[in-house]
Amino acid sequence: MKAIGHTEFGGPEVLHEVELPDPVAGPGEVRIRVRAAAVSPTDTLRRAGILAEQMRAEDRPYVPGMEFAGVLEEIGPDTATDLSVGDHVMGILTPRGSLGAYSEQVALPAESVVRVPAGVDDVAASTLPMNGLTARMTLDKLELKPGQTIGVTGAAGTYGGYVVQLAKAEGLRVIADAAEKDRAFVEELGADTVVPRGDDVADRFLEAVPGGVDGLADGAVLNEKVIAAIRPGGRMVSVRYYEGEPVKGVTYHSVRVSHYVRERPKLDQLRELVEEGKLTLRVAGTYPAAQAAEAHRRLALGGTRGRLVLIFGD
Protein backbone atom coordinates (compact mmCIF):
# COMPACT_ATOMS: atom_id res chain seq x y z
CA MET A 1 0.00 0.00 0.00
CA LYS A 2 0.97 3.65 -0.30
CA ALA A 3 1.50 5.96 2.63
CA ILE A 4 2.97 9.40 3.25
CA GLY A 5 6.01 9.36 5.48
CA HIS A 6 9.56 10.57 6.07
CA THR A 7 12.89 8.99 6.85
CA GLU A 8 14.56 12.19 8.07
CA PHE A 9 13.36 15.07 10.22
CA GLY A 10 12.91 18.51 8.75
CA GLY A 11 10.50 20.81 6.96
CA PRO A 12 7.40 19.78 5.01
CA GLU A 13 9.60 18.83 2.06
CA VAL A 14 10.77 15.65 3.85
CA LEU A 15 7.30 14.13 3.41
CA HIS A 16 7.05 11.78 0.46
CA GLU A 17 5.14 8.76 -0.78
CA VAL A 18 6.35 5.41 0.57
CA GLU A 19 5.41 1.79 -0.11
CA LEU A 20 4.54 -0.38 2.87
CA PRO A 21 3.21 -3.93 3.31
CA ASP A 22 -0.57 -4.20 3.44
CA PRO A 23 -1.60 -4.49 7.10
CA VAL A 24 -3.61 -7.45 8.39
CA ALA A 25 -6.11 -7.25 11.22
CA GLY A 26 -4.91 -9.33 14.13
CA PRO A 27 -6.90 -10.55 17.14
CA GLY A 28 -9.03 -7.74 18.53
CA GLU A 29 -8.28 -5.53 15.52
CA VAL A 30 -10.00 -4.16 12.45
CA ARG A 31 -8.49 -3.03 9.14
CA ILE A 32 -9.69 0.21 7.57
CA ARG A 33 -9.36 1.50 4.01
CA VAL A 34 -8.53 5.12 4.80
CA ARG A 35 -10.38 7.74 2.78
CA ALA A 36 -9.46 10.83 4.81
CA ALA A 37 -6.77 11.64 7.39
CA ALA A 38 -6.77 14.90 9.33
CA VAL A 39 -3.57 16.93 9.70
CA SER A 40 -2.71 18.07 13.23
CA PRO A 41 0.03 20.11 14.93
CA THR A 42 1.27 16.84 16.47
CA ASP A 43 2.01 15.57 12.96
CA THR A 44 4.20 18.58 12.29
CA LEU A 45 6.07 18.18 15.59
CA ARG A 46 6.91 14.57 14.74
CA ARG A 47 7.98 15.49 11.21
CA ALA A 48 10.15 18.39 12.37
CA GLY A 49 12.03 16.27 14.92
CA ILE A 50 10.71 18.02 18.02
CA LEU A 51 9.78 14.56 19.32
CA ALA A 52 12.88 12.84 17.91
CA GLU A 53 14.06 11.56 21.28
CA GLN A 54 10.73 9.82 21.87
CA MET A 55 10.84 8.36 18.35
CA ARG A 56 14.39 7.03 18.56
CA ALA A 57 13.36 3.37 18.88
CA GLU A 58 10.73 3.52 16.12
CA ASP A 59 11.21 1.95 12.71
CA ARG A 60 11.43 4.11 9.60
CA PRO A 61 9.80 5.43 7.53
CA TYR A 62 7.86 7.47 10.04
CA VAL A 63 4.21 7.85 9.02
CA PRO A 64 2.31 10.70 10.71
CA GLY A 65 -1.39 10.98 11.42
CA MET A 66 -3.58 10.33 14.45
CA GLU A 67 -7.16 10.48 13.17
CA PHE A 68 -8.88 9.18 10.07
CA ALA A 69 -12.10 7.94 8.52
CA GLY A 70 -12.79 5.33 5.86
CA VAL A 71 -14.33 1.94 5.17
CA LEU A 72 -13.99 -1.13 7.38
CA GLU A 73 -12.58 -3.95 5.23
CA GLU A 74 -11.55 -6.68 7.70
CA ILE A 75 -12.41 -7.79 11.22
CA GLY A 76 -9.65 -9.80 12.88
CA PRO A 77 -10.14 -13.05 14.78
CA ASP A 78 -11.57 -12.93 18.30
CA THR A 79 -12.70 -9.34 17.80
CA ALA A 80 -15.78 -8.17 19.71
CA THR A 81 -17.43 -5.38 17.73
CA ASP A 82 -20.85 -4.29 16.51
CA LEU A 83 -19.27 -3.01 13.29
CA SER A 84 -19.56 -4.79 9.95
CA VAL A 85 -17.38 -4.96 6.88
CA GLY A 86 -18.39 -2.09 4.61
CA ASP A 87 -19.26 0.33 7.42
CA HIS A 88 -17.90 3.84 7.19
CA VAL A 89 -15.94 4.40 10.37
CA MET A 90 -13.68 6.93 12.08
CA GLY A 91 -10.85 6.21 14.45
CA ILE A 92 -7.79 7.33 16.34
CA LEU A 93 -4.33 5.87 16.79
CA THR A 94 -1.02 6.78 18.37
CA PRO A 95 1.53 6.99 15.54
CA ARG A 96 4.56 4.78 15.95
CA GLY A 97 7.10 4.14 13.23
CA SER A 98 5.25 3.25 10.04
CA LEU A 99 1.87 3.03 11.76
CA GLY A 100 0.13 6.32 11.11
CA ALA A 101 -3.10 7.60 9.62
CA TYR A 102 -1.41 9.01 6.48
CA SER A 103 -1.85 5.55 4.92
CA GLU A 104 -4.16 3.87 2.45
CA GLN A 105 -4.89 1.23 5.10
CA VAL A 106 -4.51 0.91 8.86
CA ALA A 107 -5.03 -2.00 11.24
CA LEU A 108 -5.74 -1.06 14.85
CA PRO A 109 -7.71 -2.14 17.93
CA ALA A 110 -11.47 -2.25 17.45
CA GLU A 111 -11.80 -0.16 20.65
CA SER A 112 -10.36 2.79 18.71
CA VAL A 113 -13.00 2.81 15.97
CA VAL A 114 -16.70 3.78 15.74
CA ARG A 115 -19.15 4.51 12.94
CA VAL A 116 -19.05 7.93 11.36
CA PRO A 117 -21.97 10.14 12.42
CA ALA A 118 -25.09 9.69 10.32
CA GLY A 119 -25.20 12.16 7.45
CA VAL A 120 -21.50 13.02 7.75
CA ASP A 121 -18.92 12.17 5.09
CA ASP A 122 -15.51 10.65 5.77
CA VAL A 123 -13.68 13.96 5.32
CA ALA A 124 -15.62 15.73 8.07
CA ALA A 125 -15.65 12.64 10.31
CA SER A 126 -11.85 12.39 10.20
CA THR A 127 -11.59 15.72 12.05
CA LEU A 128 -13.42 14.58 15.20
CA PRO A 129 -11.55 11.82 17.07
CA MET A 130 -8.36 13.52 18.27
CA ASN A 131 -9.60 16.96 19.28
CA GLY A 132 -12.98 15.62 20.32
CA LEU A 133 -11.42 13.12 22.72
CA THR A 134 -8.94 15.73 23.97
CA ALA A 135 -11.87 18.01 24.79
CA ARG A 136 -13.66 15.08 26.43
CA MET A 137 -10.61 14.35 28.59
CA THR A 138 -10.42 18.03 29.54
CA LEU A 139 -13.92 18.05 30.95
CA ASP A 140 -13.33 14.72 32.68
CA LYS A 141 -10.33 16.19 34.48
CA LEU A 142 -12.07 19.45 35.42
CA GLU A 143 -14.96 17.50 37.02
CA LEU A 144 -17.36 20.45 36.85
CA LYS A 145 -21.04 20.20 37.75
CA PRO A 146 -24.00 21.68 35.88
CA GLY A 147 -24.26 25.38 36.66
CA GLN A 148 -20.54 25.84 37.31
CA THR A 149 -18.41 28.07 35.11
CA ILE A 150 -15.63 27.10 32.71
CA GLY A 151 -13.22 29.49 31.02
CA VAL A 152 -11.92 28.54 27.57
CA THR A 153 -8.96 30.16 25.85
CA GLY A 154 -8.37 29.53 22.16
CA ALA A 155 -12.12 28.98 21.84
CA ALA A 156 -12.17 29.50 18.06
CA GLY A 157 -9.71 26.65 17.53
CA THR A 158 -10.79 23.07 16.93
CA TYR A 159 -10.01 21.90 20.47
CA GLY A 160 -11.41 25.02 22.10
CA GLY A 161 -14.58 24.88 20.04
CA TYR A 162 -15.24 21.30 21.10
CA VAL A 163 -14.67 22.22 24.75
CA VAL A 164 -17.22 25.03 24.45
CA GLN A 165 -19.83 22.77 22.88
CA LEU A 166 -19.26 19.82 25.21
CA ALA A 167 -19.42 22.16 28.21
CA LYS A 168 -22.75 23.58 27.07
CA ALA A 169 -24.09 20.06 26.48
CA GLU A 170 -23.26 19.35 30.14
CA GLY A 171 -24.99 22.42 31.52
CA LEU A 172 -21.95 24.58 32.24
CA ARG A 173 -21.67 28.33 31.93
CA VAL A 174 -18.96 29.13 29.37
CA ILE A 175 -16.75 32.21 29.32
CA ALA A 176 -14.59 32.14 26.18
CA ASP A 177 -12.10 34.32 24.38
CA ALA A 178 -11.99 35.23 20.69
CA ALA A 179 -10.52 37.67 18.22
CA GLU A 180 -13.11 40.12 16.96
CA LYS A 181 -13.36 38.27 13.63
CA ASP A 182 -14.20 35.05 15.51
CA ARG A 183 -16.59 36.50 18.10
CA ALA A 184 -19.81 35.66 16.24
CA PHE A 185 -18.60 32.12 15.57
CA VAL A 186 -17.73 31.45 19.21
CA GLU A 187 -21.11 32.83 20.23
CA GLU A 188 -22.73 30.43 17.75
CA LEU A 189 -20.89 27.55 19.43
CA GLY A 190 -22.81 28.45 22.57
CA ALA A 191 -20.43 30.52 24.72
CA ASP A 192 -22.42 32.55 27.26
CA THR A 193 -19.87 35.38 27.34
CA VAL A 194 -17.13 36.12 24.79
CA VAL A 195 -14.24 38.41 25.74
CA PRO A 196 -11.31 39.71 23.65
CA ARG A 197 -8.39 37.31 23.39
CA GLY A 198 -4.85 38.30 24.43
CA ASP A 199 -2.30 38.00 27.19
CA ASP A 200 -4.62 39.97 29.53
CA VAL A 201 -7.56 37.61 29.03
CA ALA A 202 -7.52 36.72 32.75
CA ASP A 203 -8.65 40.29 33.51
CA ARG A 204 -11.48 39.95 31.00
CA PHE A 205 -12.59 36.65 32.53
CA LEU A 206 -12.59 38.20 36.01
CA GLU A 207 -14.74 41.08 34.78
CA ALA A 208 -17.29 38.49 33.66
CA VAL A 209 -16.88 36.26 36.74
CA PRO A 210 -15.47 38.35 39.62
CA GLY A 211 -14.86 35.34 41.85
CA GLY A 212 -13.02 33.45 39.13
CA VAL A 213 -14.07 30.52 36.94
CA ASP A 214 -14.41 27.06 38.49
CA GLY A 215 -12.24 25.48 35.82
CA LEU A 216 -10.25 26.60 32.82
CA ALA A 217 -9.30 24.91 29.53
CA ASP A 218 -6.19 26.66 28.21
CA GLY A 219 -6.30 25.96 24.48
CA ALA A 220 -4.29 29.12 23.77
CA VAL A 221 -1.37 27.86 25.92
CA LEU A 222 -1.23 31.03 28.02
CA ASN A 223 -0.19 29.05 31.10
CA GLU A 224 0.66 31.30 34.04
CA LYS A 225 -1.00 34.29 32.35
CA VAL A 226 -4.50 32.87 32.97
CA ILE A 227 -4.17 31.39 36.46
CA ALA A 228 -5.51 34.58 38.05
CA ALA A 229 -8.85 33.94 36.31
CA ILE A 230 -9.43 30.71 38.29
CA ARG A 231 -11.14 30.74 41.67
CA PRO A 232 -9.20 29.47 44.70
CA GLY A 233 -9.21 25.69 44.66
CA GLY A 234 -10.24 25.55 41.01
CA ARG A 235 -8.72 23.47 38.24
CA MET A 236 -6.84 24.19 35.03
CA VAL A 237 -6.18 21.94 32.04
CA SER A 238 -3.30 22.66 29.69
CA VAL A 239 -2.75 21.12 26.26
CA ARG A 240 1.02 21.63 26.61
CA TYR A 241 1.76 19.95 29.95
CA TYR A 242 2.07 23.09 32.07
CA GLU A 243 3.61 22.52 35.50
CA GLY A 244 3.51 25.81 37.35
CA GLU A 245 3.94 26.74 40.98
CA PRO A 246 0.81 26.21 43.09
CA VAL A 247 -1.24 29.40 43.26
CA LYS A 248 -4.47 29.82 45.26
CA GLY A 249 -4.76 26.06 45.59
CA VAL A 250 -5.37 25.72 41.84
CA THR A 251 -4.78 22.18 40.54
CA TYR A 252 -3.05 21.79 37.17
CA HIS A 253 -3.82 18.96 34.78
CA SER A 254 -2.48 18.11 31.34
CA VAL A 255 -4.22 16.11 28.64
CA ARG A 256 -2.57 13.40 26.57
CA VAL A 257 -5.08 12.01 24.09
CA SER A 258 -3.05 8.80 23.72
CA HIS A 259 -4.60 7.78 27.06
CA TYR A 260 -8.04 7.84 25.41
CA VAL A 261 -7.31 6.08 22.11
CA ARG A 262 -9.16 2.95 23.28
CA GLU A 263 -12.02 4.77 24.99
CA ARG A 264 -14.58 3.60 22.44
CA PRO A 265 -17.68 4.59 24.50
CA LYS A 266 -16.39 8.15 24.76
CA LEU A 267 -15.69 8.35 21.02
CA ASP A 268 -19.13 6.92 20.30
CA GLN A 269 -20.68 9.54 22.58
CA LEU A 270 -19.00 12.21 20.46
CA ARG A 271 -20.57 10.61 17.38
CA GLU A 272 -23.99 10.84 19.02
CA LEU A 273 -23.48 14.50 19.90
CA VAL A 274 -22.66 15.28 16.27
CA GLU A 275 -25.85 13.51 15.19
CA GLU A 276 -27.81 15.54 17.76
CA GLY A 277 -26.37 18.80 16.39
CA LYS A 278 -24.46 19.54 19.61
CA LEU A 279 -20.95 19.24 18.09
CA THR A 280 -19.86 21.05 14.94
CA LEU A 281 -17.31 19.46 12.59
CA ARG A 282 -15.08 21.88 10.71
CA VAL A 283 -12.99 21.19 7.61
CA ALA A 284 -10.61 24.03 6.76
CA GLY A 285 -9.47 22.51 3.45
CA THR A 286 -8.59 19.29 1.67
CA TYR A 287 -5.48 18.08 -0.18
CA PRO A 288 -4.69 14.94 -2.14
CA ALA A 289 -2.49 12.77 0.08
CA ALA A 290 0.44 13.28 -2.29
CA GLN A 291 0.30 16.99 -1.40
CA ALA A 292 0.74 16.42 2.33
CA ALA A 293 3.73 18.78 2.35
CA GLU A 294 1.49 21.59 1.12
CA ALA A 295 -1.01 20.86 3.88
CA HIS A 296 1.79 21.07 6.46
CA ARG A 297 2.94 24.39 5.00
CA ARG A 298 -0.59 25.76 5.17
CA LEU A 299 -0.98 24.66 8.79
CA ALA A 300 2.30 26.36 9.71
CA LEU A 301 0.92 29.69 8.46
CA GLY A 302 -1.67 29.63 11.25
CA GLY A 303 -5.18 30.97 11.23
CA THR A 304 -6.93 27.80 10.08
CA ARG A 305 -10.37 27.30 11.59
CA GLY A 306 -10.95 23.59 11.54
CA ARG A 307 -8.82 20.75 10.24
CA LEU A 308 -6.92 20.32 7.00
CA VAL A 309 -7.59 16.85 5.60
CA LEU A 310 -5.64 14.54 3.29
CA ILE A 311 -7.70 12.55 0.79
CA PHE A 312 -6.77 8.99 -0.21
CA GLY A 313 -8.22 7.22 -3.22
CA ASP A 314 -10.44 8.64 -5.93
Side-chain angles (χ1 to χ4, degrees):
M1 69 170 184
K2 292 182 174 60
I4 304 300
H6 57 99
T7 55
E8 303 296 334
F9 298 115
E13 68 280 356
V14 302
L15 293 170
H16 61 279
E17 192 173 274
V18 298
E19 291 281 346
L20 296 172
D22 290 343
V24 176
E29 293 185 333
V30 293
R31 177 172 56 82
I32 313 300
R33 173 73 60 174
V34 175
R35 298 302 187 195
V39 177
S40 79
T42 300
D43 303 343
T44 66
L45 294 176
R46 287 176 63 85
R47 183 216 71 225
I50 305 300
L51 305 178
E53 189 61 32
Q54 300 175 28
M55 299 167 63
R56 183 181 299 276
E58 298 179 16
D59 295 330
R60 303 185 186 191
Y62 305 117
V63 176
M66 294 188 69
E67 54 188 344
F68 64 89
V71 180
L72 193 156
E73 290 196 333
E74 180 187 7
I75 298 174
D78 303 319
T79 300
T81 179
D82 62 351
L83 300 173
S84 301
V85 170
D87 285 347
H88 282 257
V89 297
M90 60 184 178
I92 181 169
L93 56 81
T94 301
R96 183 170 180 82
S98 297
L99 173 63
Y102 291 13
S103 304
E104 289 183 323
Q105 302 178 62
V106 292
L108 72 167
E111 297 97 328
S112 301
V113 177
V114 301
R115 289 182 181 84
V116 303
V120 171
D121 64 20
D122 291 339
V123 172
S126 74
T127 68
L128 177 62
M130 188 182 80
N131 280 120
L133 286 172
T134 305
R136 177 67 269 159
M137 182 183 288
T138 294
L139 289 170
D140 290 349
K141 286 182 176 292
L142 290 177
E143 297 183 327
L144 301 177
K145 306 298 183 185
Q148 289 190 291
T149 301
I150 182 174
V152 184
T153 68
T158 309
Y159 160 78
Y162 285 147
V163 172
V164 170
Q165 291 189 301
L166 286 176
K168 291 306 298 179
E170 296 184 3
L172 302 180
R173 179 189 178 197
V174 177
I175 313 299
D177 72 349
E180 188 57 37
K181 63 183 177 65
D182 293 320
R183 170 179 287 274
F185 172 70
V186 174
E187 290 174 341
E188 289 173 6
L189 291 177
D192 297 281
T193 302
V194 180
V195 304
R197 64 178 296 184
D199 288 350
D200 63 347
V201 73
D203 294 334
R204 307 288 81 77
F205 280 0
L206 287 171
E207 290 173 4
V209 188
V213 298
D214 297 297
L216 189 137
D218 186 22
V221 197
L222 295 175
N223 297 328
E224 67 279 354
K225 296 174 183 175
V226 292
I227 296 172
I230 306 169
R231 67 164 173 81
R235 300 185 178 206
M236 170 177 158
V237 167
S238 169
V239 294
R240 287 291 183 270
Y241 319 122
Y242 176 67
E243 297 180 359
E245 293 295 324
V247 177
K248 302 188 303 181
V250 171
T251 304
Y252 308 121
H253 299 272
S254 61
V255 285
R256 190 183 296 272
V257 75
S258 59
H259 294 164
Y260 268 26
V261 294
R262 294 196 180 189
E263 293 283 352
R264 189 177 190 276
K266 294 181 185 294
L267 182 56
D268 210 38
Q269 181 192 49
L270 295 175
R271 173 192 61 80
E272 293 173 353
L273 290 172
V274 172
E275 293 179 347
E276 295 167 4
K278 296 178 180 178
L279 278 185
T280 303
L281 305 181
R282 290 183 282 163
V283 177
T286 61
Y287 294 80
Q291 295 179 19
E294 290 304 313
H296 277 225
R297 292 188 183 98
R298 174 64 188 88
L299 184 61
L301 294 175
T304 56
R305 291 294 177 253
R307 279 282 183 252
L308 301 173
V309 179
L310 304 181
I311 306 299
F312 290 82
D314 298 330

